[in-house]
Amino acid sequence: MTGSIARRGLLVGTAATALTLGPVSFADAAPTPAPGNANGDANGDGPVTAVRTVRGTLPAGCPDFVHLPVEVPRGVREIAVSYTYVKTPVPAGTQGNALDIGIFDERGTELGGRGFRGWSGGARGSFFIRAEEATPGYIPGPVRAGTWHIALGPYTVAPEGLPYEVTVTLTFGPTGTTPEPVYPPERAKGRGRAWYRGDCHLHSVHSDGRRTPADIAAAARAAGLDFINSSEHNTHSAHSAWQGLWGDDLLILTGEEVTTRNGHVVALATDPGTFVDWRYRARDNRFGHFAKAVRRAGGLVVPAHPHATCIGCHWKFGFGEADAVEVWNGPYTPEDEIALAEWDNSLVAAVRASKPWIPAMGNSDAHREPDKVGLPQTVVLADELSRKAITAGIRAGRSYIAESSAVSLAFGVSGGRGLHAGIGERLPAEDDAPVTVRLEVTGALGCTAHIVTDQGTLFTAALPESGSGTVEWRTTPSYAAYVRAEVRHPASVPGLPGALAALTNPVFLGR
């Protein structure tokens, strides 16, 4: 039996950022045999199903999330949901309709609670969940009796409102067996203490990407990477999708891109199976709570593309909880140049206030072809190729960013009495003591090297035609509180800086 229930903004419950529609009940639905059986045979003896369809219109200015309760009876083997909405034409400069979707089970919708069962955003129009498997983006497991909630996320709403239709199909029958998840190991063979290359912001079919995990692992190896981080939008479903894809040469970390309405943050290298909630804005004062939860799960908090211009992408939570910040996201753009300038200003502020500084990192944010995995990549000095060692290196700023594995840097500062400091370290020289800054570059064809301090760029030198060479510059701690290196391509627009080929974290000078 198919029911059609109109829900035109009739809301029966409210919360700070969510509203709840009236419930959808299957209590009086007489289940009907669906065409075919569980094996797909068309003999009319298939599984028994019940269907409900809900239609309504979300008004402009509605909350970020609208919950549609579904009262699931006993004996359900599978829940399947499909939805559509009207993309109302709007005048130029006005946002049209965009509607995301996900689901919470009978354990509830409490912020950070245990009820989360999946999210696909706007990447797909349907999904299913049953014990033995689920649509990518969703968590397999039993469909237990109780009130489930379909979560609708009106990303943008046209002035005329957002008409939608949601169809819920319950399939009755014996519950299958949920497989035990298999997660990537926390250590790969590696090369001992060495510089390891990684890309920590990647998307597969488990969110809005088009590559499979196997595609991503192959692309990572082709890009010369040693580690990657699974970072799907608002779901951890991909954590168990990497079986057979790791190896002695590739460490796979698990995380999430926490995609809020006030910016995105990569939860990097959390414990496998960790879910990080995203249903809050900066004004709700909840981000600090979830940032601490990321760290309790062994992960790092990394604001992503903080100056991206997409709706909801611009970072508004501040950087007080950041362990690192993504200053370079994908092919280098003016957005990255702004992020780089803001990060450099934060270094100056940290020096002035004698406070901790935030390291920079770069990732590809690759979703599909032709996005390049490993453009850019963060190169980390770590004691071994392990989750613990890699995150320690990123947190300490012992890293640089390169556009590909063809580009390598060695950067450090030396002073009298055998003093030396590398990337992310401090050279404890006296204020007036002369120090030598040395940068070695490999593979940066046609580029120039730049030494940047808290005063700005104080030294620039063209690299040899081969793209490989060494530059040196001398200064004192009183003249430069820190030094860092940039390697840039020629400017494509007169008067503007060229795109980065590489960038280091700073070396601090003085006591």
Side-chain angles (χ1 to χ4, degrees):
M1 178 182 297
T2 301
S4 180
I5 307 170
R7 309 275 177 191
R8 301 187 181 278
L10 299 178
L11 306 171
V12 299
T14 64
T17 58
L19 291 176
T20 303
L21 298 164
V24 178
S25 175
F26 282 83
D28 60 350
T32 59
N37 60 24
N39 295 319
D41 298 329
N43 58 13
D45 298 327
V48 176
T49 64
V51 182
R52 286 286 186 263
T53 296
V54 175
R55 299 182 181 90
T57 299
L58 301 178
C62 70
D64 291 343
F65 300 99
V66 176
H67 294 150
L68 174 61
V70 179
E71 296 175 353
V72 176
R74 295 182 183 278
V76 174
R77 178 178 185 269
E78 176 187 285
I79 182 170
V81 178
S82 63
Y83 83 118
T84 61
Y85 62 93
V86 178
K87 296 184 178 181
T88 307
V90 294
T94 301
Q95 296 299 329
N97 287 331
L99 183 64
D100 296 340
I101 197 167
I103 196 167
F104 293 78
D105 66 19
E106 84 290 347
R107 292 171 291 184
T109 62
E110 179 185 0
L111 197 64
R114 300 175 60 196
F116 176 77
R117 290 298 290 273
W119 184 257
S120 49
R124 49 176 50 90
S126 63
F127 62 86
F128 72 87
I129 296 173
R130 53 179 177 261
E132 61 269 31
E133 63 178 324
T135 300
Y138 294 80
I139 312 303
V143 182
R144 294 177 290 264
T147 301
W148 290 50
H149 289 82
I150 296 169
L152 300 175
Y155 189 60
T156 54
V157 180
E160 296 80 10
L162 193 160
Y164 66 90
E165 178 179 293
V166 178
T167 297
V168 183
T169 302
L170 301 184
T171 300
F172 295 81
T175 299
T177 301
T178 303
E180 191 70 24
V182 178
Y183 297 126
E186 295 197 1
R187 179 179 285 101
K189 183 178 180 180
R191 304 180 298 277
R193 184 172 175 82
W195 291 92
Y196 292 103
R197 296 175 178 267
D199 189 345
C200 294
H201 188 166
L202 296 159
H203 295 281
S204 77
V205 294
H206 283 260
S207 57
D208 60 345
R210 292 293 179 266
R211 292 182 172 104
T212 66
D215 294 334
I216 291 175
R221 288 183 165 96
L225 301 182
D226 301 293
F227 66 93
I228 57 175
N229 179 66
S230 176
S231 56
E232 308 295 352
H233 292 285
N234 297 344
T235 183
H236 59 291
S237 68
H239 289 191
S240 60
W242 301 92
Q243 189 171 4
L245 300 177
W246 58 77
D248 289 346
D249 63 331
L250 185 64
L251 174 70
I252 299 177
L253 308 173
T254 57
E256 179 186 329
E257 183 176 6
V258 184
T259 307
T260 80
R261 299 301 180 87
N262 282 164
H264 301 186
V265 58
V266 174
L268 196 165
T270 53
D271 294 335
T274 298
F275 164 64
V276 185
D277 215 320
W278 72 96
R279 295 171 294 157
Y280 44 84
R281 294 194 185 207
R283 66 192 182 205
D284 299 321
N285 294 319
R286 298 299 294 162
F287 176 69
H289 170 80
F290 288 102
K292 290 178 176 62
V294 169
R295 284 191 281 271
R296 283 197 301 271
L300 302 180
V301 177
V302 184
H305 45 67
H307 288 277
T309 55
C310 50
I311 296 171
C313 293
H314 197 102
W315 185 251
K316 297 183 182 298
F317 293 95
F319 296 92
E321 295 286 353
D323 296 304
V325 60
E326 189 182 78
V327 303
W328 183 355
N329 176 277
Y332 200 74
T333 67
E335 294 174 4
D336 300 309
E337 191 68 33
I338 295 170
L340 175 61
E342 181 180 61
W343 171 70
D344 189 76
N345 288 340
S346 78
L347 297 179
V348 175
V351 167
R352 184 185 305 121
S354 298
K355 291 184 176 180
W357 61 285
I358 303 172
M361 66 181 308
N363 302 298
S364 74
D365 199 1
H367 283 69
R368 59 187 66 83
E369 296 295 341
D371 298 351
K372 291 184 178 179
V373 173
L375 172 59
Q377 52 197 247
T378 299
V379 191
V380 184
L381 179 61
D383 291 335
E384 60 180 4
L385 185 54
S386 69
R387 173 191 174 194
K388 183 177 180 180
I390 292 296
T391 54
I394 294 173
R395 185 186 292 107
R398 296 192 301 268
S399 61
Y400 66 89
I401 310 168
E403 64 181 358
S404 75
S405 60
V407 178
S408 296
L409 303 182
F411 183 65
V413 183
S414 58
R417 297 190 298 276
L419 291 175
H420 179 81
I423 299 171
E425 298 177 338
R426 175 176 291 276
L427 187 80
E430 300 296 336
D431 286 350
D432 58 352
V435 300
T436 300
V437 182
R438 180 181 175 89
L439 172 66
E440 299 178 28
V441 183
T442 303
L445 294 172
C447 292
T448 55
H450 305 253
I451 305 299
V452 185
T453 77
D454 52 315
Q455 296 185 64
T457 301
L458 294 185
F459 180 76
T460 301
L463 294 171
E465 289 186 7
S466 65
S468 300
T470 301
V471 297
E472 289 188 352
W473 180 65
R474 289 175 175 79
T475 187
T476 63
S478 63
Y479 192 65
Y482 64 83
V483 291
R484 60 179 184 83
E486 297 177 0
V487 179
R488 290 184 178 263
H489 292 282
S492 57
V493 178
L496 294 179
L500 284 176
L503 161 76
T504 73
N505 275 300
V507 179
F508 292 92
L509 305 180
R511 299 183 185 278

